Amino acid sequence: TDQFLKQVFDVMAQVPQHRFYFLTKRAERLGEIGPQLPWKPWIWAGVTVESAKYVHRIDQLKKLPGDVNKFLIFEPLLSPMPKLDLEGIGWVVVGGETNKKMKYRPIKEEWVIDIRDQVKSAGLQFMFKHWPGKSHNSKPALLDGKIWNEYPKTLLVNMSWN
């Protein structure tokens, strides 16, 4: 409920020593209630965009106030992404699908590289979590021979009470 979400945010607002990642596929709901919530620099808002069909979720995320830290999760990445509008976004994470029964949908390296290149061209931090597999560490998360494990600086600094 709206009331429950506000209670959760009130608690998160009291503990700046922690980082919170508010991630949803229900972007329309985030676009509706999000502007009313008490966002703090240590509370990040994100949406999952698993295929080009759901790129519109990014627009809902952008309905939040400009000072809210925003991130995108392309996991599991199931299709190539069109030219992404990354304005106002602070961090992008990509990953493949995992399943203990080894029933996962494929990901193409060129999709990940294209997203990475868009993110880096926008001057943002990029993380590639993992390839598809039985678990997140089934195969090293190498992309062009490198581990992409970047974090925004605001995630790595202590916050003060505001």
Side-chain angles (χ1 to χ4, degrees), residues 30-102:
L30 177 63
E32 293 167 8
I33 190 171
Q36 304 164 37
L37 297 171
W39 296 95
K40 298 292 182 186
W42 53 91
I43 304 172
W44 283 68
V47 293
T48 300
V49 181
E50 60 269 36
S51 70
K53 178 180 176 182
Y54 299 105
V55 169
H56 66 274
R57 291 177 181 158
I58 299 170
D59 295 330
Q60 296 296 322
L61 179 64
K62 291 181 176 190
K63 289 183 177 181
L64 298 179
D67 60 346
V68 173
N69 286 312
K70 300 170 187 77
F71 69 104
L72 302 175
I73 298 282
F74 295 95
E75 182 183 3
L77 180 62
L78 303 176
S79 78
M81 291 294 154
K83 180 163 173 33
L84 297 167
D85 178 5
L86 298 172
E87 186 176 339
I89 304 300
W91 189 29
V92 176
V93 179
V94 176
E97 187 171 43
T98 58
N99 183 296
K100 291 186 188 317
K101 295 180 181 179
M102 298 296 284

Side-chain angles (χ1 to χ4, degrees), residues 74-78 93-100 102-116 126-148:
F74 295 95
E75 182 183 3
L77 180 62
L78 303 176
V93 179
V94 176
E97 187 171 43
T98 58
N99 183 296
K100 291 186 188 317
M102 298 296 284
K103 293 182 179 181
Y104 49 82
R105 292 165 285 185
I107 186 175
K108 293 190 177 178
E109 185 172 9
E110 58 262 26
W111 302 346
V112 182
I113 290 171
D114 180 58
I115 293 170
R116 183 214 48 209
F126 175 79
M127 176 186 283
F128 179 54
K129 288 175 58 179
H130 55 85
W131 291 105
K134 186 175 182 177
S135 67
H136 287 114
N137 57 0
S138 296
K139 177 181 172 183
L142 294 172
L143 188 61
D144 285 340
K146 177 181 174 182
I147 298 287
W148 290 86

Side-chain angles (χ1 to χ4, degrees), residues 141-159:
L142 294 172
L143 188 61
D144 285 340
K146 177 181 174 182
I147 298 287
W148 290 86
N149 196 21
E150 300 175 340
Y151 293 88
K153 290 179 183 168
T154 56
L155 280 179
L156 305 175
V157 297
N158 287 328
M159 301 289 173

